[in-house]
Each structure stands twice: as C-alpha cells, then as structure tokens.
Amino acid sequence: MAATSTGRVLTFCRQFQNAFRISTPLSAQKSALTLTKSQSYPHRLTSPLLSSSWHCHVGLVRQCRPLHTTISRRGLEEFFDIPENWGEATVKSGAPWTAKQLRTKSNEDLHKLWYVLLKEKNMLLTTEQESKRQRIQMPSPERLKKIERSMKRLDTVVKEREDAIRLLQTGQERARPGAWRKDVFGRVYWYRFREHALPWYMNKRYKRKRFYTPLFVTPHMRLRLEKHLRAKTRKQNRERQKQAGLQEKFPQMKAQSS
Amino acid sequence: MRLTAILSMAAKAAFPKDYRYGTSRPWTIAAKRLNPPGKKRRKVFIEPIAYEDWSVFKGDTVEILSGKDKGKQGKVAQVFRHRNWVILDGLNTHFRYIGKTADYRGTYIASEAPLLIRDISLVDPTDRKPTEVEWRFTEEGEKVRVSLRTGRIVPKPVFQRRDGIVPQQWKGESAFGEGGTEARGAKESRWIKVEKEIL
C-alpha cells in the first residue's frame, strides 16, 4: 500500500515538475503528525500549477528528500554520437583531463564532469559494440582510453580531497576500517572490515573463516621462512656473481648501485 | 591530436629475456629473421651504462678510436642504447647488394656497421680532438657535458624531428571548437589564498 501510494505520488509529480520527491521511511506516529498538519492547511486554489503542487503535498504521508535529475534532452540518441560523425573514419577529440587540471575545479564541477564522462563512455561503448556487430573498425578507439584515464584521475583527485578532510577532522588515515589479523597459514595481513547484517558471533559463515593459526601449522611457518630466506640469499648471490662477471668483461664499467 | 599526445604515443612492447637486438626495428622482417620463435643463441654481454651517464646523442660529432676507420671523425646518425651501438654517417662501411632480383644483380651500396660506445670518443668543439666527457651542473642548474681535458662545455646537438615540428614554435590546432584544453583552465596554478582557518 505504501509503495503504490509513493509510486502514484511520483508519477503525479513528474508530470508537472522534474524535481520529484523521494520518501524515507519514518515511524507511524510522525507520519500521522504530518498527515494532520497537511490536512489543517487551507486549500489555496490560485493557479493549476500551485493546486497540483498542493496535491503532491497532501498525498505525501512520509518525510521527503528532494532529488534533482536533468531532463533527458535527446532520449536514446544520447547513446550514439552526433549525426555529423556518423560514417567517419576518425573522430577528432581533445586531450584527456590531467590531475593537475582537475584539482583546480570545485566539487560540484567534478561531480557534473563525472556524469558527463560517464555518458560519453556509454556512447563510446555503444559505438564499439555496434562496430563489432557490423564488422567494421570503430572510429578513433583511443577516445575510450582517454575517458577511462580522465575518470581514473578524477577519482584520484576526489579521494585526495576526502583523505585530506578526514585526516583534518578525525585523524583517521584510512577511509575503510580494518585490522591486522593472522590467517590460517600464519601470515599476518591487513583485513579490511565489511558490512554485515548480523553481529559476528551470529554469523556462521564468518565464524568458519579462522583468524588464528592452528598448532599443527607452526612448524610449516618456520619451513616457509627458511625457504624465503634461502631464495633471497640465492638471488643476492646470483646478482653479485653477475656483477662480478660483468666487471671482469668490462673493466672500465662503473659499479651499479642497484 | 595534441603535440604531447603524438610525442608520447609509443607503447611499451614486451620482449623475451634472451632477445638479441639488431640494427633493424623489432617489427621488420630482418629482425624477425634474426629472432625466430624457437632460437637459442649465445648471449651477448652489454656493458650496463646508466641512463644519466649516457653521453652520445644523435647529431654529435665523434671520432673513431679503433677499427677500420680509426682516427676519422663523423656525425652520429643513429644510437642503439640496448646494444651500446652508434652508427656514423658514411664511416665503418662494408659493401653489399640491395634490391636483388632473379635477373638483376642489385645496387652496390655502402652500408655502415655499428660501432660500440667504447670505440667512440666525443670531440671537443674548440680544438676538434677526442676527449673524455663528464656530466656536470652549471651555475643555473643545467646538466651539461664537460670535456675533461680542456674543461669546455660540449653542447648537445639540436634534435630535428622527422616531421619538421619544432615544439617551441608549435602553432597547431590546440582546441577543437570552444571546448578544448585551453578552456579547461589556462591558469592551472591559480590558487585562492584563504585567510581564515579551515578547521
């Protein structure tokens, strides 16, 4: 019932405004309060637009959060290139965004740019698939690489800003919490926490994953360490022998620091 | 595309560990003949010279210290860093036939053989004699080659690109329409000074 009423409200609003309201679940008491409040307001029928907006308000039972989306100007044509580029062998495109350029932009600009790049990427992927279907070469496939690099750099810049704010506000170095844990093989690693619906002592799958080393594994840990040290020493000896051989062949050679 | 994109277009290709590099580029037929897939040849040892210590560049005037054309000076036409080779214009040549067909004997041409870096010496521009060269920094902080015998700077030869573009005078298409690299922010280092504390 709740879902259908929200759905009706959404479709009703979309006809008149592009900004429609999403409802968040609240307690029944609060929803009753809002209902009584909206019923007590007198109806003002000044213009059809206002009356429809009041309809929106009256129909809503829950608290709302505004969400804005842009109007889809061209519809499905946005998945394809502009008609002037159809049939061309190469399509000109500029250089990808550099991290230095992106760092001068504001957060809102970066947010918008991300979606612009995403839509462009969708368009290029559609073009690629279409070229595969028609068994012809895609015009200027380097555009995809440029878009991917730009998006990666944008992500890097946003991460940098988030890291800076978090460090200043809380002093936390990592965004995702974790801990140093031992796995079944005796190796210590950084375990990154995940989100679960249950506490750990009720999570059967989590309890099956052992974060301790059984006693019978301990001798194997020493053997593994010995193997690692042996391999490291052998590599160092091999490197030293190689350098000695090269020094013998080329006496004027400068000794390599590496 | 932008000049920077053209200049940095070469991608890194992967070679086997015992690949024997020759004078031809790896994608040519001659290079493929030199390195067929199952071949195992005696390994060539090359003296490891660090990237910063490399002193000979294309266009330099050098003198040959040993070999057939010992004592002659010539201009460097090509440098092969993977084998420490240098090819000079018209020196250290051997003769061969090129373009041979069934009935035609082919053109007799002189082809240059590569010389090792150790058999080559840079020439001091002032007295035109071979010298040892070291990398040193000038007062401004520029890294230059200094001849050890006279102490004079050996200038780096001007590199001319095959397509004739001089990057300092590049006047190509920089923006396609209004939205281009220029429109993204010509002043990339435009930071606003914040007086009050952020947090």
Side-chain angles (χ1 to χ4, degrees):
Chain A
M1 198 264 147
T4 46
S5 73
T6 330
R8 259 187 274 127
V9 161
L10 285 175
T11 45
F12 194 61
C13 281
R14 208 180 286 135
Q15 287 167 30
F16 298 97
Q17 292 172 36
N18 270 316
F20 61 91
R21 294 175 176 270
I22 301 179
S23 58
T24 49
L26 268 189
S27 59
Q29 258 188 354
K30 213 168 178 178
S31 60
L33 244 164
T34 49
L35 186 61
T36 47
K37 261 194 188 158
S38 60
Q39 278 178 347
S40 65
Y41 285 137
H43 282 275
R44 286 186 288 137
L45 298 160
T46 45
S47 72
L49 219 63
L50 255 176
S51 69
S52 50
S53 65
W54 273 119
H55 270 287
C56 280
H57 276 286
V58 168
L60 286 167
V61 184
R62 294 142 189 234
Q63 201 183 35
C64 291
R65 192 163 39 93
L67 174 80
H68 175 74
T69 56
T70 46
I71 318 160
S72 67
R73 291 170 208 279
R74 286 154 56 206
L76 279 175
E77 288 168 30
E78 291 199 52
F79 280 106
F80 299 94
D81 217 345
I82 47 173
E84 288 92 49
N85 288 341
W86 288 358
E88 304 270 340
T90 49
V91 176
K92 271 195 210 164
S93 53
W97 284 87
T98 60
K100 201 175 170 188
Q101 290 166 345
L102 290 165
R103 279 187 196 111
T104 60
K105 301 296 171 193
S106 69
N107 286 330
E108 286 78 24
D109 283 342
L110 288 180
H111 198 82
K112 288 175 194 167
L113 179 64
W114 178 266
Y115 289 99
V116 167
L117 289 171
L118 185 65
K119 285 173 83 166
E120 180 72 15
K121 189 165 154 183
N122 287 340
M123 184 272 282
L124 291 172
L125 288 169
T126 319
T127 318
E128 192 184 18
Q129 191 55 40
E130 190 57 25
S131 319
K132 281 184 190 168
R133 190 183 79 98
Q134 294 183 13
R135 322 286 172 103
I136 52 172
Q137 233 191 21
M138 177 192 172
S140 310
E142 71 271 358
R143 293 181 285 171
L144 259 172
K145 267 199 190 159
K146 289 184 195 172
I147 293 274
E148 272 167 34
R149 282 175 193 161
S150 303
M151 285 174 95
K152 199 141 200 270
R153 288 164 191 169
L154 206 161
D155 190 40
T156 317
V157 168
V158 167
K159 271 206 176 98
E160 276 174 10
R161 290 187 187 177
E162 278 179 2
D163 276 346
I165 287 183
R166 193 184 54 247
L167 277 168
L168 283 168
Q169 287 182 332
T170 55
Q172 293 290 325
E173 284 139 13
R174 286 175 234 259
R176 187 169 162 180
W180 288 106
R181 287 196 186 167
K182 235 189 239 194
D183 64 0
V184 207
F185 304 110
R187 295 180 295 212
V188 179
Y189 70 108
W190 180 256
Y191 171 74
R192 295 190 305 152
F193 294 156
R194 289 173 67 188
E195 284 185 0
H196 301 277
L198 305 169
W200 71 268
Y201 47 84
M202 287 167 67
N203 195 340
K204 285 188 191 161
R205 198 151 172 264
Y206 179 84
K207 282 192 277 188
R208 264 183 276 140
K209 193 184 171 91
R210 293 163 287 174
F211 290 111
Y212 58 89
T213 323
L215 271 174
F216 61 84
V217 175
T218 332
H220 292 272
M221 281 162 65
R222 190 196 159 97
L223 291 170
R224 200 175 52 227
L225 176 73
E226 285 170 6
K227 183 180 176 182
H228 165 76
L229 289 171
R230 218 176 290 133
K232 192 166 135 194
T233 320
R234 279 192 194 137
K235 191 171 168 187
Q236 283 173 350
N237 289 342
R238 197 167 57 236
E239 202 49 55
R240 207 182 317 128
Q241 271 172 14
K242 189 174 132 192
Q243 284 299 313
L246 276 176
Q247 195 77 43
E248 203 185 297
K249 281 198 204 289
F250 306 109
Q252 327 106 309
M253 171 189 111
K254 276 186 230 169
Q256 296 255 279
S257 56
S258 59
Chain B
M1 280 211 285
R2 287 227 76 204
L3 178 65
T4 40
I6 299 170
L7 286 170
S8 64
M9 211 141 65
K12 201 124 196 237
F15 293 99
K17 218 162 62 115
D18 55 354
Y19 186 81
R20 187 178 267 240
Y21 290 91
T23 43
S24 338
R25 296 292 169 124
W27 53 83
T28 47
I29 305 167
K32 284 181 191 164
R33 209 183 316 132
L34 184 68
N35 289 303
K39 73 109 192 168
K40 280 230 184 314
R41 279 192 73 174
R42 202 167 294 176
K43 185 182 162 172
V44 274
F45 289 94
I46 38 170
E47 187 187 338
I49 298 180
Y51 185 81
E52 309 84 47
D53 296 329
W54 192 267
S55 326
V56 187
F57 300 102
K58 192 164 134 172
D60 264 333
T61 320
V62 293
E63 184 166 319
I64 306 176
L65 302 171
S66 69
K68 199 168 66 157
D69 294 331
K70 180 173 169 174
K72 294 193 191 163
Q73 292 188 0
K75 202 164 87 146
V76 172
Q78 236 184 326
V79 161
F80 300 93
R81 290 212 193 187
H82 41 72
R83 287 289 290 261
N84 290 354
W85 275 344
V86 142
I87 292 195
L88 306 187
D89 240 337
L91 292 174
N92 197 24
T93 53
H94 55 272
F95 299 91
R96 63 184 173 115
Y97 286 98
I98 193 170
K100 204 158 70 157
T101 49
D103 42 358
Y104 177 48
R105 60 162 179 231
T107 328
Y108 197 60
I109 58 153
S111 62
E112 301 92 354
L115 286 151
L116 274 173
I117 290 285
R118 287 287 160 198
D119 304 332
I120 285 287
S121 164
L122 276 169
V123 159
D124 199 329
T126 45
D127 60 356
R128 262 127 21 115
K129 291 232 172 56
T131 46
E132 288 294 313
V133 156
E134 207 186 39
W135 283 101
R136 286 198 202 144
F137 289 93
T138 57
E139 294 285 316
E140 291 89 37
E142 206 188 309
K143 204 171 176 196
V144 284
R145 303 178 289 186
V146 170
S147 131
L148 288 174
R149 196 189 51 212
T150 50
R152 290 198 189 86
I153 295 175
V154 182
K156 201 166 158 185
V158 178
F159 175 71
Q160 278 153 13
R161 283 165 57 102
R162 229 184 318 169
D163 43 16
I165 296 175
V166 180
Q168 285 82 26
Q169 298 161 15
W170 172 257
K171 273 202 216 56
E173 287 170 9
S174 51
F176 297 102
E178 281 79 54
T181 329
E182 262 59 31
R184 282 181 195 169
K187 300 173 206 123
E188 277 164 5
S189 56
R190 178 192 50 185
W191 295 103
I192 309 162
K193 203 165 178 180
V194 180
E195 270 82 43
K196 65 174 175 140
E197 266 186 39
I198 301 168
L199 283 166

